[in-house]
């Protein structure tokens, strides 16, 4: 029977989703706690990310952790066709919160790079700067196109923003998987090993490319248009 053949696939799909959601929530909690502590107390004994006496750099990096965690948790809500169709005002309000959070997260990360640079510098600065710049562009485009009622293009940019909002989580998941499989081969504490260098870009570019392929192949069928 058809349902007996499709059930395992559906169950596996839900299981993968549940695991991803649990890891996402755990990382969001870690990021939020780290950010709150960094804004409240001197963490210089604990992390290179805290700069004693540099209020701007500390505000930039630790506020970006709090806001980044918030957009990661909120972004999946926007994928719900049901919410878009039945509660367009909620979709719109959450959309503006994500827009503001994404802009501030990206600007915080970019500000920190400008003031302090990343731990590995050079290519890691480039990878993180491109990541932040893409997040800014995707956030602006998603809101601009929604306001212009270009809903098909709005959804494409919103999906790009979603992938970018998950990027920071994906980055950590790559490391967890790699360390479990290889015990950290080609990775250093300064994040300048060959594996680390690939990661400067690999946590968002391949996923954006896969999304583009999916969009171009026309598999995406928008549902639940936002009524005004
Ligand atoms: C969903 C969004 C984001 C979240 C949740 C997030 C979270 C974090 C966390 C928790 C850290 C500390 C890493 C550690 O555990 O030691 C971190 C570091 C950092 N993040 Fe983000 N981030 C996000 C987006 C961004 C964006 C868009 C940029 C863009 C420039 C960025 C730039 C950085 C930089 C430069 C560092 C410091 C890297 C280093 O030198 O060690 N982040 N982020």
């Amino acid at each position: 029977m058809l349902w007996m053949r499709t059930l395992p696939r559906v169950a596996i799909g839900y299981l993968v989703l549940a695991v991803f959601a649990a890891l996402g929530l755990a990382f969001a909690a870690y990021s939020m706690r780290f950010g709150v502590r960094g804004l409240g107390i001197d963490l210089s004994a604990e992390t290179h990310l805290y700069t004693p006496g540099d209020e701007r750099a500390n505000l930039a990096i630790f506020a970006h952790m709090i806001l980044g965690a918030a957009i990661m948790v909120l972004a999946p809500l926007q994928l719900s066709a049901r919410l878009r169709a039945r509660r367009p005002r909620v979709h719109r309000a959450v959309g503006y919160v994500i827009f503001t959070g994404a802009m501030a997260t990206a600007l915080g990360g970019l500000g920190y790079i400008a003031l302090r640079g990343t731990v590995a510098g050079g290519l890691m600065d480039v990878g993180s700067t491109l990541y932040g710049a893409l997040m800014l562009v995707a956030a602006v485009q998603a809101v601009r196109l929604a306001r212009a009622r270009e809903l098909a293009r709005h959804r494409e940019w919103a999906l790009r923003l979603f992938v970018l909002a998950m990027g920071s989580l994906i980055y950590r998941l790559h490391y967890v998987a790699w360390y479990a499989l290889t015990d950290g081969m080609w990775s250093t504490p300064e994040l300048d090993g060959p594996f680390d260098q690939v990661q400067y870009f690999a946590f968002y570019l391949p996923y954006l490319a896969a999304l583009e392929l999916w969009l171009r192949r026309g598999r995406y069928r928008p549902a639940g248009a936002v009524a005004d």
Side-chain angles (χ1 to χ4, degrees), residues 146-224:
R147 293 175 68 91
R149 296 290 173 268
E150 290 192 44
L151 294 186
R153 291 183 64 212
H154 156 67
R155 289 190 191 98
E156 291 188 0
W157 280 101
L159 286 171
R160 291 178 188 119
L161 181 58
F162 177 82
V163 168
L164 290 164
M166 295 300 138
S168 198
L169 168 65
I170 293 170
Y171 179 83
R172 271 84 189 171
L173 293 181
H174 282 181
Y175 272 93
V176 170
W178 184 254
Y179 270 73
L181 289 172
T182 71
D183 202 19
M185 188 171 66
W186 299 331
S187 175
T188 70
E190 296 75 30
L191 300 181
D192 59 359
F195 175 76
D196 304 310
Q197 292 180 349
V198 171
Q199 290 315 304
Y200 301 160
F201 302 92
F203 68 97
Y204 60 97
L205 284 186
Y207 298 96
L208 285 176
L211 173 64
E212 290 313 308
L213 279 180
W214 187 64
L215 291 171
R216 300 293 154 247
R217 285 184 184 172
R219 291 197 53 192
Y220 178 54
R221 295 271 175 278

Side-chain angles (χ1 to χ4, degrees), residues 2 19 57 61 97 110 143 182 188 195:
L2 183 65
V19 171
I61 194 73
V97 172
L110 291 170
V143 167
T182 71
T188 70
F195 175 76

Side-chain angles (χ1 to χ4, degrees), residues 17-30 69 72-73 166 169 173:
L17 208 65
V19 171
F20 194 74
L23 291 170
L25 285 174
F27 173 62
Y30 160 81
M72 245 184 63
V73 172
M166 295 300 138
L169 168 65
L173 293 181

Side-chain angles (χ1 to χ4, degrees), residues 77-78 80-91 94 224:
L77 282 181
Q78 299 301 80
S80 163
R82 211 172 156 165
L83 187 79
R84 291 199 300 267
R86 295 196 183 171
R87 296 269 185 276
R89 284 197 184 155
V90 175
H91 175 79
V94 174

Side-chain angles (χ1 to χ4, degrees), residues 52-89:
D54 191 339
E55 298 298 327
R56 282 186 312 165
N58 292 332
L59 180 65
I61 194 73
F62 293 110
H64 114 282
M65 289 180 199
I66 297 171
L67 294 162
I71 65 167
M72 245 184 63
V73 172
L74 289 175
L77 282 181
Q78 299 301 80
L79 297 182
S80 163
R82 211 172 156 165
L83 187 79
R84 291 199 300 267
R86 295 196 183 171
R87 296 269 185 276
R89 284 197 184 155

Side-chain angles (χ1 to χ4, degrees), residues 27 30-31 34 47-49 61 64-65 68-69 71-72 105-106 109-110 112-113 117-120 124 128-129 131-132 135 164-166 168 172 191:
F27 173 62
Y30 160 81
S31 185
F34 198 173
T47 173
H48 67 279
L49 296 170
I61 194 73
H64 114 282
M65 289 180 199
I71 65 167
M72 245 184 63
T105 300
L110 291 170
Y112 178 81
I113 296 166
T118 61
V119 63
M124 188 176 184
S128 302
T129 300
Y131 175 47
M135 189 176 279
L164 290 164
M166 295 300 138
S168 198
R172 271 84 189 171
L191 300 181

